[in-house]
Amino acid sequence: MATNRAPHSEIRVAKPLAHISRQQQRTLATRRRLLAAAEKIFARDGFEAARLEDIASLAGYTRGAFYANFRSKEDIFFALLEDWVGARIAEVNALLAKHETPAHRMRALREHYAQLAQDRRLALLSLEFKLFAIRHPEAHARLRARQRRFRACGGDIVSRIAKSTGRSLAISSVAAATGLGALSNALLLEHLVDNATITDSDIRHLLGVFFDAVLGAKHSA
């Protein structure tokens, strides 16, 4: 199995250009600084409370510079989401490429999944934006379209792993990928509300059990 091929629904990942003009370099640098600032402001204030002025100021620019690169606060959030998901998919594909046997790939992916709930920033921002999007039809439609593309990538990875290990999925690979992500986020939220009720160790155990259940049983010989 070619473990380093891109998923069918490919996430766009920016690649460094060998030759770009100084103006293009400045534009890319401005965009990167705005994205880094937005990530910090969103994490500090939450999505709805975050202000464009604060994002621009932290990056060292004006509102005009912000609007030269992004149309709105939602637009820069989607750009961050694209980067986050692209990086996560790249990490998983790199992880799978390190292991030669299906059994080793399965164990590596299981361990990786069990650690997902450590990323509190992404989980909280994603949850907050989903609640915002549900109340705003335009953002909802845009998020739904992005989510379907992201989930297709995750589903492709789940499907490849299941086939390589001779396992049978009881549900679609996209539904499996969605469920795996949803449980991780839900457990993290409960942990943040009361970490005495469910510990990090509890989360890792539950995610591992759920991973095993979702990936299904091996085909009978």
Side-chain angles (χ1 to χ4, degrees):
M1 180 183 67
T3 57
N4 59 350
R5 68 178 179 85
H8 297 315
S9 300
E10 187 175 353
I11 296 296
R12 176 175 54 81
V13 179
K15 296 181 179 180
L17 300 179
H19 302 287
I20 61 176
S21 69
R22 289 186 178 180
Q23 178 58 42
Q24 289 173 315
Q25 290 177 12
R26 287 194 294 268
T27 298
L28 288 173
T30 299
R31 182 180 176 87
R32 284 195 296 268
R33 289 178 67 176
L34 286 167
L35 284 167
E39 185 172 359
K40 291 178 180 178
I41 296 297
F42 287 151
R44 186 191 73 188
D45 301 338
F47 175 77
E48 291 204 66
R51 302 192 313 155
L52 297 184
E53 293 87 347
D54 293 337
I55 294 172
S57 177
L58 183 59
Y61 301 111
T62 63
R63 282 176 63 101
F66 179 94
Y67 283 118
N69 289 272
F70 302 100
R71 292 172 295 175
S72 63
K73 187 166 63 171
E74 291 89 342
D75 199 37
I76 198 170
F77 179 87
F78 277 116
L80 281 172
L81 184 62
E82 192 93 17
D83 286 350
W84 289 332
V85 175
R88 178 165 289 178
I89 289 173
E91 286 175 3
V92 170
N93 279 310
L95 178 70
L96 297 179
K98 291 180 181 179
H99 301 279
E100 296 182 357
T101 68
H104 287 161
R105 292 188 196 113
M106 175 70 84
R107 283 197 294 271
L109 189 60
R110 185 186 191 276
E111 178 61 24
H112 178 78
Y113 172 66
Q115 300 298 323
L116 283 184
Q118 299 294 322
D119 195 345
R120 291 162 169 77
R121 173 203 56 185
L122 177 56
L124 288 177
L125 281 177
S126 296
L127 175 61
E128 187 176 4
F129 189 78
K130 286 175 182 176
L131 293 174
F132 169 82
I134 289 171
R135 303 186 191 101
H136 297 81
E138 185 176 343
H140 191 183
R142 192 176 179 189
L143 178 63
R144 185 167 53 240
R146 293 290 181 95
Q147 284 268 103
R148 287 177 179 175
R149 189 157 56 89
F150 296 155
R151 296 307 186 194
C153 294
D156 180 79
I157 292 172
V158 169
S159 179
R160 284 189 285 141
I161 290 296
K163 288 179 181 178
S164 72
T165 56
R167 293 173 182 266
S168 177
L169 294 174
I171 55 178
S172 74
S173 60
V174 172
T178 302
L180 289 167
L183 179 63
S184 176
N185 289 339
L187 290 174
L188 173 58
L189 183 61
E190 293 299 328
H191 173 76
L192 292 174
V193 171
D194 184 358
N195 60 16
T197 301
I198 183 165
T199 67
D200 284 324
S201 178
D202 294 331
I203 291 175
R204 287 193 296 273
H205 174 77
L206 289 169
L207 290 179
V209 171
F210 190 61
F211 180 90
D212 294 338
V214 168
L215 264 292
K218 288 187 176 182
H219 296 304
S220 55

